[in-house]
Amino acid sequence: MKMKKPILLSTPHIGDRELEFVKEAFDTNWIAPVGPHIDAFEEEFCQVTGANYAAALASGTAALHLALQLVGIERGDEVFCSTLTFAASANPIVYLGAKPVFIDSDRTSWNMNPELLQEALEKRARIGKLPKAVIVVHLYGQSADIDPILKACNQYDIPLIEDAAEALGATYKGRSPGTFGRIGIYSFNGNKIITTSGGGMLVSPEEQLVAKARFLATQARDPAPHYQHSEIGYNYRLSNVSAGIGRGQLRVLKERVASRQRNFRSYASTLGILPGIEFMPEANYGCATRWLTCLTIDPKAFGADREQVRLALAAQQIESRPVWKPLHLQPVFAECECFGGAVAENLFTQGLCLPSGSNLTDQDLERVIDEIIAVHYVSRKTEPLLIF
Ligand SMILES: *Cc1c(COP(=O)(O)O)cnc(C)c1O
């Protein structure tokens, strides 16, 4: 029997220009974590996102690590962070010896609940134990509700760091998420909306912060002819070759966003009519990229639960994934405090991310859709009231 072609969750989708930029790097021998593509990539990234200053880095995780250090996080500090996210949003807090405290999501956007954040800050202010930073995550291509989050942070003079790793190309009131807080970070990992085969970006409205990020990312070398260091640095710069890929990818970002939104519309228009299926709602303050199309499955109404659907898809060589397991449920963060948690827990139990790559074909989408519809009808086979 011929194996069906695997359909993966989200794979790299290279455009026409990337190889040209990479070849230029080879031809000019700029095969290093310095070079003209890095400068150009940072500048073009600022143009696309409206960020003021940007530093291209080895990964989104590296960017977040530097961001936390730049706002002064130290051993023993606490940092508030969205709970419904990938572990990389909180791991850098621990790199610095600080402690994550998690905040639950809002049903309406799946992102950090601004009211819950406000309450948590009020509670902490009363006992004189405010966090030293807040990390808000913009999940699955949709911006969190930034204004009330920023207002709550400003009220207590706490720096806001935006983890926009999944939200490049999205908007919040017409602007790019990632450009509102003191620092924003993005990821160009292979599964993100655009990729450099691994990379990240740190942006900020403050020029000195970004200059300091570059300094720390290149081993913190003091300006001296010999190697001199007054601070501990990192090797976190992006390579000029990768930046070349990034420049090509930036040129197709709009198309990639449009393709992923089209995937979502195909899924929503076909699966949205099944009982028990709900897609991640889109908040009216902005435009979501639908980096991943995510839905929840109410097993009673649908007839099968999230895991049954995932396994049925897997049997057809179709990769889907449960929505992020909330960080407060992760063994490694078991000791950490969490404000709320039930919303994220429910989204994890019922939530599924469907194949969402910008390179999926209509046939691919059809296969996914048909399989999910089949699961529903097979589960209903024994219903006595089936009238057709
Ligand atoms: C991918 C991702 C990161 C990490 O980015 P890397 O470039 O893979 O290090 C951080 N936060 C979120 C929400 C992500 O999805």
Side-chain angles (χ1 to χ4, degrees):
M1 196 180 78
K2 196 162 158 283
M3 281 283 269
K4 282 193 175 137
K5 185 188 97 174
I7 299 176
L8 300 175
L9 194 74
S10 179
T11 61
H13 185 183
I14 295 300
D16 299 332
R17 299 287 301 282
E18 288 82 344
L19 203 54
E20 198 181 302
F21 287 120
V22 169
K23 186 168 183 305
E24 192 182 315
F26 274 67
D27 289 346
T28 53
N29 205 32
W30 282 106
I31 317 288
V34 287
H37 280 332
I38 298 176
D39 302 340
F41 186 38
E42 290 171 349
E43 203 180 303
E44 290 161 3
F45 192 84
C46 285
Q47 282 164 16
V48 166
T49 57
N52 297 92
Y53 303 96
L57 300 169
S59 69
T61 310
L64 207 47
H65 187 189
L66 292 182
L68 288 164
Q69 190 167 329
L70 287 166
V71 302
I73 301 306
E74 291 176 350
R75 191 160 291 280
D77 289 344
E78 286 192 333
V79 176
F80 282 11
C81 179
S82 310
T83 190
L84 189 65
T85 182
F86 182 40
S89 299
N91 283 342
I93 302 170
V94 182
Y95 300 168
L96 291 167
K99 253 174 50 191
V101 173
F102 298 112
I103 308 283
D104 200 2
S105 294
D106 194 329
R107 252 283 165 197
T108 56
S109 73
W110 294 20
N111 281 306
M112 183 186 280
N113 182 332
E115 281 156 36
L116 198 57
L117 172 69
Q118 176 77 38
E119 275 171 36
L121 289 173
E122 276 166 20
K123 272 192 196 146
R124 287 312 195 79
R126 259 180 260 133
I127 58 167
K129 206 167 160 257
L130 282 165
K132 292 284 164 57
V134 172
I135 299 174
V136 61
V137 182
H138 305 298
L139 210 61
Y140 295 128
Q142 167 152 265
S143 179
D145 192 1
I146 299 170
D147 280 345
I149 290 172
L150 200 52
K151 187 161 163 259
C153 290
N154 288 343
Q155 186 185 336
Y156 295 101
D157 215 11
I158 295 166
L160 178 68
I161 296 172
E162 296 178 74
D163 178 349
E166 301 178 4
L168 180 60
T171 61
Y172 179 77
K173 301 185 179 173
R175 281 171 57 195
S176 292
T179 63
F180 291 80
R182 184 131 190 249
I183 299 180
I185 73 99
Y186 300 85
S187 166
F188 312 117
N189 204 327
N191 59 355
K192 297 302 192 311
I193 197 151
I194 62 169
T195 184
T196 58
S197 87
M201 194 72 84
L202 179 149
V203 304
S204 174
E206 295 168 56
E207 188 173 13
Q208 332 84 274
L209 273 187
V210 174
K212 187 75 191 277
R214 289 202 189 96
F215 168 77
L216 290 171
T218 47
Q219 310 285 20
R221 281 179 62 186
D222 293 338
H226 51 274
Y227 284 87
Q228 174 157 313
H229 306 272
S230 321
E231 277 184 72
I232 296 296
Y234 306 91
N235 182 2
Y236 273 177
R237 265 307 232 173
L238 188 70
S239 93
N240 192 60
V241 176
S242 298
I245 303 176
R247 294 187 69 192
Q249 288 272 278
L250 269 188
R251 281 157 175 75
V252 290
L253 173 62
K254 272 211 175 99
E255 289 164 48
R256 299 297 180 260
V257 170
S259 304
R260 289 190 188 248
Q261 290 170 334
R262 194 180 57 97
N263 292 339
F264 164 71
R265 287 195 300 271
S266 299
Y267 287 133
S269 63
T270 49
L271 302 175
I273 53 174
L274 297 177
I277 298 270
E278 269 181 60
F279 289 85
M280 179 178 78
E282 192 159 337
N284 58 11
Y285 49 61
C287 186
T289 64
R290 301 288 174 175
W291 167 59
L292 296 185
T293 290
C294 309
L295 47 73
T296 53
I297 300 169
D298 173 359
K300 271 210 196 89
F302 183 73
D305 65 17
R306 188 281 310 281
E307 212 35 29
Q308 288 169 310
V309 173
R310 191 186 69 77
L311 290 170
L313 290 170
Q316 300 299 318
Q317 305 292 313
I318 297 167
E319 181 188 34
S320 64
R321 292 267 175 91
V323 161
W324 298 125
K325 180 171 182 173
L327 297 187
H328 71 273
L329 297 183
Q330 296 287 357
V332 75
F333 297 121
E335 309 285 291
C336 298
E337 194 181 338
C338 184
F339 286 90
V343 173
E345 284 168 27
N346 179 257
L347 290 171
F348 168 59
T349 308
Q350 301 200 334
L352 190 67
C353 308
L354 300 181
S356 301
S358 47
N359 44 13
L360 291 177
T361 64
D362 288 344
Q363 288 76 13
D364 293 337
L365 292 168
E366 224 166 276
R367 256 177 69 197
V368 180
I369 291 162
D370 287 351
E371 185 55 33
I372 295 176
I373 291 175
V375 174
H376 170 66
Y377 282 106
V378 167
S379 75
R380 283 292 144 98
K381 204 173 49 187
T382 51
E383 289 255 315
L385 285 176
L386 207 62
I387 47 170
F388 42 77

